[in-house]
């Protein structure tokens, strides 16, 4: 299976997890996990689009994008868009919450760690 297809399958798994798992946790933990998965999804989509990106580059870009979206919420525009579109609500959120920044950071770190671990496992398997 090509690298892009694997990243897209991973993205689908992250979306599925993001739709189910946060609701199974207490509110604060669910919100933290939701933010982490948002950034992990961005990481996987970046890798699907550009498979040669280095893990830390993809993680940094995903984190920067997450922070930018969260900061954009301060304008009120995402809240207005969310009132008319469920997709906008899912993609942009509605209101700024500084605690989301922690979730994004944890998600970026987890995505990079998983990416590096998968790469090491693949390289080890290829050497045999």
């Amino acid at each position: 299976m090509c690298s892009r297809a694997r990243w897209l399958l991973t993205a689908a798994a992250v979306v599925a997890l993001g739709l189910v798992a946060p609701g199974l946790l207490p509110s604060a933990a669910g919100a933290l996990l939701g933010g982490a998965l948002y950034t992990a999804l961005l990481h996987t989509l970046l890798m699907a689009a550009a498979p040669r990106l280095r893990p830390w580059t993809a993680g940094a870009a995903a984190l920067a994008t997450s922070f930018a979206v969260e900061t954009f919420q301060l304008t009120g525009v995402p809240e207005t868009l969310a009132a008319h579109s469920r997709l906008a609500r899912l993609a942009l959120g509605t209101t700024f919450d500084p605690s989301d920044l922690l979730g994004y950071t944890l998600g970026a770190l987890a995505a990079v760690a998983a990416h590096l671990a998968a790469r090491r496992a693949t390289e080890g398997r290829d050497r045999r």
Side-chain angles (χ1 to χ4, degrees):
M1 180 181 303
C2 81
S3 179
R4 289 179 200 272
R6 277 182 277 182
W7 283 113
L8 288 172
L9 283 174
T10 302
V14 171
V15 168
L17 189 59
L19 291 172
V20 175
L24 301 175
L25 299 171
S27 174
L32 193 64
L33 179 60
L37 290 171
Y38 181 86
T39 302
L41 176 62
L42 292 176
H43 180 97
T44 60
L45 293 174
L46 281 167
M47 292 308 304
R52 292 186 182 191
L53 279 177
R54 294 176 185 258
W56 285 105
T57 303
L63 182 59
T65 302
S66 298
F67 273 47
V69 169
E70 191 68 26
T71 304
F72 182 49
Q73 292 171 356
L74 290 169
T75 67
V77 172
E79 189 171 20
T80 302
L81 293 172
H84 304 287
S85 166
R86 179 156 170 77
L87 181 59
R89 177 179 289 277
L90 290 171
L92 301 175
T94 55
T95 54
F96 179 81
D97 183 349
S99 67
D100 287 345
L101 302 176
L102 174 61
Y104 300 149
T105 302
L106 294 173
L109 291 172
V112 169
H115 185 166
L116 290 170
R119 190 165 75 176
R120 278 192 294 274
T122 300
E123 288 170 357
R125 191 174 49 233
D126 290 345
R127 288 186 193 139
R128 291 185 227 165

